[in-house]
Coordinates of all heavy atoms in Angstrom, one line a residue:
Chain A
M1 N 52.8 80.3 -82.5 CA 52.8 79.6 -81.2 C 51.3 79.3 -80.8 O 50.5 80.2 -80.8 CB 53.4 80.5 -80.2 CG 54.6 80.0 -79.3 SD 54.7 78.2 -79.2 CE 54.9 78.1 -77.4
Y2 N 51.0 78.1 -80.5 CA 49.7 77.7 -80.1 C 49.7 77.4 -78.6 O 50.7 76.9 -78.1 CB 49.2 76.5 -80.9 CG 49.1 76.8 -82.4 CD1 49.6 75.9 -83.3 CD2 48.4 77.9 -82.8 CE1 49.6 76.1 -84.7 CE2 48.3 78.1 -84.2 CZ 48.9 77.3 -85.1 OH 48.8 77.5 -86.4
Y3 N 48.5 77.6 -78.0 CA 48.4 77.4 -76.5 C 47.1 76.6 -76.2 O 46.1 76.9 -76.9 CB 48.4 78.7 -75.7 CG 49.5 79.6 -76.0 CD1 49.4 80.6 -76.9 CD2 50.7 79.5 -75.2 CE1 50.5 81.5 -77.1 CE2 51.8 80.3 -75.5 CZ 51.7 81.3 -76.4 OH 52.7 82.2 -76.6
T4 N 47.2 75.7 -75.3 CA 45.9 75.0 -74.8 C 45.3 76.0 -73.8 O 46.0 76.9 -73.3 CB 46.2 73.7 -74.1 OG1 47.0 73.9 -72.9 CG2 47.0 72.8 -75.0
I5 N 44.1 75.6 -73.4 CA 43.4 76.5 -72.4 C 44.1 76.5 -71.1 O 44.2 77.5 -70.4 CB 41.9 76.0 -72.3 CG1 41.1 77.1 -71.6 CG2 41.8 74.7 -71.5 CD1 39.6 76.8 -71.7
G6 N 44.7 75.4 -70.7 CA 45.5 75.3 -69.5 C 46.7 76.2 -69.5 O 47.0 76.8 -68.5
E7 N 47.4 76.2 -70.6 CA 48.6 77.1 -70.7 C 48.2 78.6 -70.6 O 48.8 79.4 -69.9 CB 49.3 76.8 -72.0 CG 50.1 75.5 -72.0 CD 50.4 75.0 -73.4 OE1 49.9 75.5 -74.5 OE2 51.3 74.1 -73.5
V8 N 47.1 78.9 -71.3 CA 46.6 80.3 -71.3 C 46.1 80.6 -69.8 O 46.4 81.8 -69.4 CB 45.4 80.5 -72.3 CG1 44.8 81.9 -72.1 CG2 45.9 80.3 -73.7
S9 N 45.6 79.7 -69.2 CA 45.2 79.9 -67.8 C 46.4 80.2 -66.9 O 46.3 81.1 -66.1 CB 44.5 78.6 -67.3 OG 44.2 78.7 -65.9
N10 N 47.5 79.5 -67.1 CA 48.7 79.7 -66.4 C 49.3 81.1 -66.7 O 49.7 81.8 -65.8 CB 49.8 78.7 -66.7 CG 49.4 77.4 -65.9 OD1 48.7 77.4 -64.9 ND2 49.9 76.3 -66.5
I11 N 49.3 81.4 -68.0 CA 49.9 82.7 -68.4 C 49.1 83.9 -67.9 O 49.6 84.9 -67.4 CB 49.9 82.8 -70.0 CG1 50.9 81.7 -70.5 CG2 50.3 84.2 -70.5 CD1 50.8 81.5 -72.0
T12 N 47.8 83.8 -68.0 CA 46.9 85.0 -67.7 C 46.4 85.0 -66.2 O 45.9 86.1 -65.8 CB 45.7 85.0 -68.6 OG1 44.9 83.9 -68.3 CG2 46.1 85.0 -70.1
G13 N 46.4 83.8 -65.6 CA 45.8 83.8 -64.2 C 44.3 83.6 -64.3 O 43.7 83.5 -63.2
L14 N 43.7 83.6 -65.4 CA 42.2 83.3 -65.5 C 42.0 81.8 -65.5 O 42.8 81.1 -66.0 CB 41.6 83.9 -66.8 CG 41.8 85.4 -67.0 CD1 41.2 85.8 -68.4 CD2 41.0 86.1 -65.9
L19 N 37.8 81.3 -69.1 CA 38.2 81.3 -70.6 C 37.1 80.7 -71.5 O 36.8 81.2 -72.5 CB 39.6 80.7 -70.8 CG 40.7 81.4 -70.1 CD1 42.0 80.5 -70.1 CD2 41.0 82.8 -70.8
Y22 N 34.2 83.1 -71.5 CA 34.5 84.2 -72.5 C 34.3 83.8 -73.9 O 33.8 84.5 -74.7 CB 36.0 84.7 -72.3 CG 36.2 85.6 -71.0 CD1 37.5 86.0 -70.7 CD2 35.1 86.0 -70.2 CE1 37.7 86.8 -69.6 CE2 35.3 86.8 -69.1 CZ 36.6 87.2 -68.8 OH 36.8 88.0 -67.7
L27 N 33.9 86.3 -77.1 CA 35.0 87.3 -76.9 C 36.3 86.9 -77.7 O 37.2 87.7 -77.8 CB 35.4 87.4 -75.4 CG 34.7 88.5 -74.7 CD1 33.3 88.6 -75.0 CD2 35.0 88.4 -73.2
F28 N 36.3 85.7 -78.3 CA 37.4 85.3 -79.2 C 36.9 84.9 -80.6 O 37.0 83.7 -81.0 CB 38.2 84.1 -78.6 CG 38.5 84.3 -77.1 CD1 38.2 83.4 -76.2 CD2 39.3 85.4 -76.8 CE1 38.5 83.6 -74.8 CE2 39.7 85.6 -75.4 CZ 39.3 84.7 -74.4
M31 N 39.1 82.7 -82.8 CA 39.8 81.6 -82.3 C 39.4 80.3 -83.0 O 38.2 80.1 -83.3 CB 39.6 81.4 -80.8 CG 40.5 80.4 -80.2 SD 40.4 80.4 -78.4 CE 38.7 80.0 -78.1
V40 N 42.2 76.3 -79.7 CA 43.5 76.6 -80.0 C 43.7 78.1 -79.8 O 43.3 78.9 -80.6 CB 43.9 76.2 -81.5 CG1 45.3 76.7 -81.8 CG2 43.7 74.7 -81.7
F41 N 44.4 78.5 -78.7 CA 44.7 79.9 -78.5 C 46.0 80.3 -79.1 O 46.9 79.5 -79.2 CB 44.8 80.1 -76.9 CG 43.5 80.0 -76.2 CD1 43.0 78.7 -75.9 CD2 42.9 81.1 -75.7 CE1 41.8 78.6 -75.1 CE2 41.7 81.0 -75.0 CZ 41.2 79.7 -74.7
T42 N 46.1 81.5 -79.6 CA 47.3 82.1 -80.2 C 47.6 83.4 -79.5 O 46.9 83.8 -78.6 CB 47.2 82.4 -81.7 OG1 46.3 83.5 -81.8 CG2 46.6 81.2 -82.4
E43 N 48.7 84.0 -79.9 CA 49.1 85.4 -79.4 C 48.0 86.3 -79.5 O 47.8 87.2 -78.7 CB 50.3 85.9 -80.2 CG 51.6 85.1 -80.1 CD 52.1 84.9 -78.6 OE1 51.7 85.7 -77.8 OE2 52.9 83.9 -78.4
M44 N 47.2 86.2 -80.6 CA 46.0 87.0 -80.8 C 45.1 87.0 -79.6 O 44.6 88.0 -79.2 CB 45.3 86.4 -82.1 CG 44.0 87.0 -82.4 SD 44.1 88.4 -83.4 CE 42.5 88.4 -84.2
E45 N 44.8 85.8 -79.1 CA 43.8 85.6 -78.0 C 44.5 86.1 -76.7 O 43.8 86.7 -75.9 CB 43.4 84.2 -77.8 CG 42.3 83.8 -78.8 CD 42.7 83.7 -80.2 OE1 43.8 83.1 -80.5 OE2 42.0 84.1 -81.1
I46 N 45.8 85.9 -76.6 CA 46.5 86.4 -75.4 C 46.3 88.0 -75.4 O 46.0 88.6 -74.3 CB 48.0 86.0 -75.4 CG1 48.2 84.5 -75.5 CG2 48.7 86.6 -74.1 CD1 48.0 83.7 -74.3
G47 N 46.5 88.6 -76.5 CA 46.3 90.0 -76.7 C 44.9 90.4 -76.4 O 44.6 91.4 -75.6
A48 N 43.9 89.6 -76.9 CA 42.5 89.9 -76.6 C 42.2 89.9 -75.1 O 41.5 90.7 -74.6 CB 41.7 88.9 -77.3
I49 N 42.8 88.9 -74.4 CA 42.6 88.8 -73.0 C 43.1 90.1 -72.2 O 42.4 90.6 -71.4 CB 43.2 87.5 -72.4 CG1 42.5 86.3 -72.9 CG2 43.2 87.5 -70.9 CD1 43.1 85.0 -72.7
K50 N 44.3 90.6 -72.6 CA 44.8 91.8 -72.0 C 43.8 93.0 -72.3 O 43.5 93.8 -71.4 CB 46.1 92.2 -72.6 CG 47.3 91.3 -72.1 CD 48.6 91.8 -72.7 CE 49.7 90.7 -72.4 NZ 50.8 90.8 -73.3
M51 N 43.3 93.0 -73.5 CA 42.3 94.1 -73.8 C 41.0 93.9 -73.1 O 40.4 94.9 -72.6 CB 42.0 94.0 -75.4 CG 41.5 95.2 -75.9 SD 42.7 96.5 -75.9 CE 41.9 97.7 -74.9
I52 N 40.6 92.6 -72.9 CA 39.4 92.4 -72.1 C 39.5 92.9 -70.7 O 38.7 93.6 -70.2 CB 39.1 90.8 -72.1 CG1 38.6 90.3 -73.5 CG2 38.0 90.5 -71.0 CD1 38.6 88.8 -73.6
E53 N 40.7 92.6 -70.1 CA 40.9 93.0 -68.7 C 40.9 94.5 -68.6 O 40.3 95.1 -67.7 CB 42.3 92.5 -68.2 CG 42.4 91.0 -68.4 CD 42.4 90.2 -67.1 OE1 41.3 89.9 -66.6 OE2 43.5 89.8 -66.7
C54 N 41.5 95.1 -69.6 CA 41.6 96.6 -69.6 C 40.1 97.2 -69.7 O 39.8 98.0 -69.0 CB 42.4 97.0 -70.8 SG 42.5 98.8 -71.1
M69 N 35.1 93.2 -79.9 CA 35.9 92.1 -80.5 C 35.3 91.8 -81.9 O 36.1 91.5 -82.8 CB 35.8 90.8 -79.6 CG 36.6 91.0 -78.3 SD 38.4 91.4 -78.5 CE 38.8 91.7 -76.9
Chain B
M106 N 46.9 102.6 -71.4 CA 46.5 101.7 -72.5 C 45.4 102.4 -73.3 O 45.5 102.4 -74.5 CB 46.0 100.4 -71.9 CG 45.7 99.4 -72.9 SD 46.1 97.7 -72.3 CE 45.6 96.7 -73.6
F145 N 52.0 97.8 -75.0 CA 50.7 97.3 -75.4 C 50.6 96.8 -76.8 O 49.5 96.5 -77.3 CB 49.6 98.4 -75.2 CG 49.6 98.9 -73.8 CD1 49.8 100.2 -73.5 CD2 49.4 98.0 -72.7 CE1 49.8 100.7 -72.2 CE2 49.4 98.5 -71.4 CZ 49.6 99.9 -71.2
Q146 N 51.6 96.8 -77.6 CA 51.7 96.4 -79.0 C 50.7 97.1 -79.9 O 49.6 97.4 -79.6 CB 51.7 94.9 -79.3 CG 50.7 94.0 -78.6 CD 49.3 94.2 -79.1 OE1 49.0 94.2 -80.3 NE2 48.4 94.3 -78.2

Side-chain angles (χ1 to χ4, degrees):
Chain A
M1 234 339 229
Y2 299 129
Y3 305 93
T4 67
I5 199 169
E7 287 162 345
V8 175
S9 176
N10 285 336
I11 293 166
T12 64
L14 298 177
L19 293 169
Y22 283 176
L27 266 47
F28 309 124
M31 189 170 64
V40 177
F41 290 78
T42 68
E43 299 301 339
M44 171 91 155
E45 279 71 39
I46 306 280
I49 291 166
K50 283 181 195 162
M51 201 68 242
I52 290 165
E53 308 251 81
C54 174
M69 293 301 172
Chain B
M106 187 142 176
F145 303 124
Q146 48 71 48

